[in-house]
Amino acid sequence: MPTESLYPKFNIPNTDLWGFLFERNDRPYPEEKIIYRDADTGRAYSYAQVKSTAIELGKGFKSVWEWRKGDVLALFTPNCIDTPAITWGVHWAGGVVSPANPGYTAEELAFQLKDSGAKALATQKPFLKVAVEAAAQAGIPEDRIILMGDEKDESMRFKHFSSIRNIAGTNRYRRTKAHPKNDLAFLVYSSGTTGHPKGVMLCHENIISNLLMLKAGEGTNLSWDGGPAGNGDNILAFLPFFHIYGLTCLICWSLYSGIALTVMSRFEIEKFCAIIQNHKITFAYVVPPVVLLLGKHPIIDKYDLSSLRMLNSGAAPLTQELVEAVYKRLKVPIKQGYGLSETSPTTHTQPWELWDKTVGSVGTLLPMQTAKYMSPEEKELPIGETGELWIKGPNVFKGYHNNPEGTKNALTEDGFFKTGDVGHQDKDGNFYITDRVKELIKYKGFQVPPAELEGLLISHPMVNDVAVIGIYNKDQATEVPRAYIVPKPGVEGSPKTANEIVQWLQAKVANHKRLRGGVKFVDEVPKSASGKILRRLLKVKAQEEEEKGQRAKL
């Protein structure tokens, strides 16, 4: 039988996201509470300022652009405290927000603009060149490109979003209400590890239900007016707002809960530490590469990070070795959570009190959901056996935009989403995610999870970072595991070092998990903005090395 969540069920209010956040009767904090603060400039928005800015902007969209229900605004920007107000201005006007990675090329951005059907684009001045080029490719006129952030366009060619506010004659406009189940709030794009990114359609009810799940999962541990200093918890926001993790868990969750968000435009390890020290940060959502730095980077010792009460890691599997290394160094506990763009995102989280008792687990199933692990033949597996995780709940997306085939392959007729992630659950209801279905290495019929080997290798004293992929070996007619390793400073990436690491791992794993593909030393491991290892880039690198080696033999 599928596993049901042990949390109490709740009623999902019949409203859209705007109504849920701004027309509620249960807001526990005052209107003047500061919600978003820029870590560099100190510029800030209170709850009341976010709401008034969004309403004025929504009226401006209707007046200047004749905004219609379902129209899409794309956001092409690093983290910015203007993002929430612009997002809810679009929602007030009945529109959809589609955030894009600010690292995109013009061609990559143009694909998302065209696929999403974006009617307008908001960006920042340093990103205008790419934005203009992409908008031209997508057929978006220049007067539909607006600026956000602190810099304005001196030439006045591009309007700042603030100029669309407070336009005379807009008081006649009224809010366009969205249907909670039928209308989209966000159209986010997957990281595109294979082919073009897919547009994930998230309706208003998806996001609302996930916020209520987060409320249940975090319980009373985080507070707008509590915390160690008595003036409320302070969350550090560096995870990208263009990713669903940042959209829901940072932008939406902070406004719903009233917990202050200190916003970094992008991650830098020393600035990250300085902000924690200076702003007395109490909590942060992180990803494994950041946990890795906290465990190994020498700069950490220069800062006082003692205000941190807890970290929550997501986006990729986190190993026991890493959690223990950070706690030993900083005495900061790290719990894990799990989710996907398609689930809005959070489906599981570790209870705070169990962070050190179920290390390696992503926690228990959050309320209103059902889950099961399935065999490759799509037969349900008993507790303890490894298979693909399937999830059902009100937070599961409506499908992939313009991609009926992808939707059909991802969603079953009875509403389960096939996550593509491999793992198992234990008898106490703790779930474990060990790898992606498509990333498992098949060695002579045995399955080798790369994340398991990475978790072991990262604990080696000579290893700073690592990624493991499968390499096809013609002589053995099978895939074999190979490790791409970033050595610690001062460690020579020599054949002797490689052999030492191979022998060290060999003593710790089963025969089929040995590094028969060897070790390659690299300057860095390629990763997405959300912290996922981009194994496809390493596979391309391996293929190039193979071809180069073959040419050398000729």
Side-chain angles (χ1 to χ4, degrees):
M1 288 288 290
T3 299
E4 299 278 349
S5 172
L6 298 177
Y7 285 92
K9 292 188 176 182
F10 53 74
N11 291 320
I12 304 171
N14 185 31
T15 183
D16 58 11
L17 191 53
W18 175 276
F20 179 73
L21 294 171
F22 295 107
E23 295 173 357
R24 58 192 289 205
N25 298 317
D26 62 344
R27 175 167 46 83
Y29 60 91
E31 287 199 339
E32 62 271 17
K33 176 76 164 73
I34 295 294
I35 305 295
Y36 309 106
R37 186 184 303 279
D38 186 285
D40 292 327
T41 67
R43 187 162 70 92
Y45 279 88
S46 67
Y47 170 86
Q49 288 169 328
V50 172
K51 183 177 181 179
S52 62
T53 302
I55 292 172
E56 291 165 1
L57 194 55
K59 290 178 178 179
F61 286 152
K62 289 192 170 196
S63 173
V64 177
W65 290 342
E66 298 182 346
W67 205 254
R68 297 283 183 264
K69 187 176 183 179
D71 282 354
V72 175
L73 176 96
L75 288 170
F76 182 59
T77 170
N79 286 5
C80 176
I81 61 166
D82 295 330
T83 298
I86 292 173
T87 294
W88 288 310
V90 172
H91 286 168
W92 187 92
V96 181
V97 174
S98 184
N101 187 336
Y104 273 170
T105 63
E107 289 71 27
E108 289 170 326
L109 177 58
F111 169 80
Q112 183 168 331
L113 295 177
K114 285 186 274 192
D115 190 70
S116 66
K119 295 289 197 302
L121 175 63
T123 189
Q124 291 196 52
K125 189 179 176 184
F127 299 84
L128 263 175
K129 184 177 183 295
V130 172
V132 169
E133 190 178 331
Q137 290 181 36
I140 296 175
E142 278 196 2
D143 62 2
R144 290 279 181 120
I145 301 173
I146 56 171
L147 293 179
M148 55 195 291
D150 296 315
E151 289 188 80
K152 295 185 178 181
D153 176 27
E154 295 84 0
S155 71
M156 303 300 287
R157 180 180 164 195
F158 299 98
K159 290 180 181 177
H160 194 266
F161 85 94
S162 55
S163 68
I164 300 178
R165 299 169 55 196
N166 298 317
I167 297 173
T170 58
N171 283 337
R172 61 191 174 89
Y173 292 106
R174 295 290 176 263
R175 179 167 91 82
T176 299
K177 293 185 179 180
H179 189 284
K181 292 179 185 286
N182 298 337
D183 293 330
L184 302 188
F186 297 111
L187 183 53
V188 300
Y189 279 74
S190 68
S191 53
T193 50
T194 55
H196 277 305
K198 296 193 290 281
V200 177
M201 299 189 291
L202 298 170
C203 69
H204 288 257
E205 184 180 88
N206 290 154
I207 305 299
I208 291 168
S209 61
N210 204 236
L211 291 174
L212 293 171
M213 290 175 189
L214 280 171
K215 179 182 178 182
E218 298 303 348
T220 57
N221 292 304
L222 292 171
S223 169
W224 69 272
D225 63 348
N231 56 359
D233 279 291
N234 192 355
I235 298 177
L236 179 52
F238 68 88
L239 291 176
F241 289 170
F242 66 80
H243 191 273
I244 191 62
Y245 194 179
L247 263 183
T248 303
C249 297
L250 295 175
I251 290 179
C252 296
W253 168 246
S254 60
L255 193 86
Y256 178 68
S257 63
I259 298 168
L261 210 64
T262 300
V263 179
M264 289 178 72
S265 61
R266 61 188 178 88
F267 179 79
E268 295 171 27
I269 185 60
E270 186 155 15
K271 184 181 277 190
F272 172 85
C273 294
I275 291 169
I276 291 172
Q277 175 180 284
N278 299 336
H279 290 263
K280 298 292 184 280
I281 299 295
T282 59
F283 184 86
Y285 289 101
V286 297
V287 288
V290 173
V291 179
L292 180 65
L293 291 171
L294 291 173
K296 299 209 172 203
H297 202 288
I299 204 78
I300 306 297
D301 297 325
K302 296 183 180 179
Y303 292 89
D304 178 6
L305 308 185
S306 61
S307 61
L308 282 173
R309 300 201 291 126
M310 178 69 76
L311 296 175
N312 185 93
S313 181
L318 191 64
T319 64
Q320 182 165 343
E321 291 82 4
L322 213 43
V323 172
E324 290 173 349
V326 172
Y327 189 73
K328 183 179 179 183
R329 185 181 192 186
L330 298 174
K331 294 295 181 280
V332 176
I334 305 172
K335 68 187 187 77
Q336 256 199 109
Y338 171 77
L340 308 99
S341 297
E342 291 88 346
T343 54
S344 305
T346 312
T347 61
H348 297 70
T349 192
Q350 273 181 299
W352 281 45
E353 65 275 11
L354 296 180
W355 77 270
D356 60 343
K357 298 175 181 65
T358 55
V359 177
S361 163
V362 295
T364 54
L365 192 63
L366 288 173
M368 308 291 283
Q369 298 175 104
T370 306
K372 54 187 178 181
Y373 283 102
M374 306 292 283
S375 72
E377 297 75 36
E378 299 196 346
K379 303 292 183 186
E380 188 175 347
L381 296 167
I383 286 173
E385 289 197 21
T386 298
E388 181 186 2
L389 177 62
W390 290 15
I391 296 175
K392 183 178 183 179
N395 52 319
V396 171
F397 74 137
K398 291 175 67 66
Y400 295 115
H401 187 59
N402 294 334
N403 190 345
E405 189 65 26
T407 302
K408 183 181 176 183
N409 291 335
L411 293 171
T412 65
E413 288 186 6
D414 58 347
F416 277 93
F417 168 56
K418 304 175 184 180
T419 67
D421 284 319
V422 173
H424 65 278
Q425 63 171 312
D426 65 21
K427 59 181 176 54
D428 298 317
N430 298 298
F431 282 67
Y432 294 79
I433 301 297
T434 50
D435 236 306
R436 294 284 297 165
V437 170
K438 293 176 182 175
E439 291 176 354
L440 287 174
I441 300 165
K442 307 283 178 38
Y443 173 73
K444 293 186 176 179
F446 292 97
Q447 292 187 337
V448 182
E452 179 189 337
L453 300 186
E454 289 159 359
L456 290 167
L457 288 165
I458 204 66
S459 67
H460 192 283
M462 291 191 286
V463 175
N464 233 11
D465 202 0
V466 60
V468 174
I469 62 170
I471 302 296
Y472 189 75
N473 184 296
K474 290 180 181 177
D475 295 334
Q476 298 186 57
T478 185
E479 278 190 312
V480 292
R482 173 184 290 173
Y484 283 84
I485 288 175
V486 179
K488 269 205 164 177
V491 173
E492 184 186 358
S494 64
K496 181 175 180 291
T497 304
N499 187 55
E500 279 183 33
I501 293 171
V502 168
Q503 296 302 319
W504 176 86
L505 183 70
Q506 186 171 313
K508 295 178 177 292
V509 297
N511 179 61
H512 66 278
K513 296 178 183 178
R514 294 178 180 180
L515 290 176
R516 288 177 168 83
V519 166
K520 297 280 186 180
F521 292 103
V522 292
D523 294 331
E524 65 176 348
V525 171
K527 291 173 184 174
S528 71
S530 64
K532 290 185 173 72
I533 294 170
L534 298 176
R535 298 185 208 278
R536 62 185 169 84
L537 297 184
L538 289 174
K539 284 183 177 287
V540 169
K541 182 181 178 68
Q543 182 66 32
E544 290 172 349
E545 289 168 349
E546 175 74 15
E547 291 170 357
K548 188 177 178 182
Q550 287 174 351
R551 285 197 298 270
K553 292 176 184 176
L554 296 175

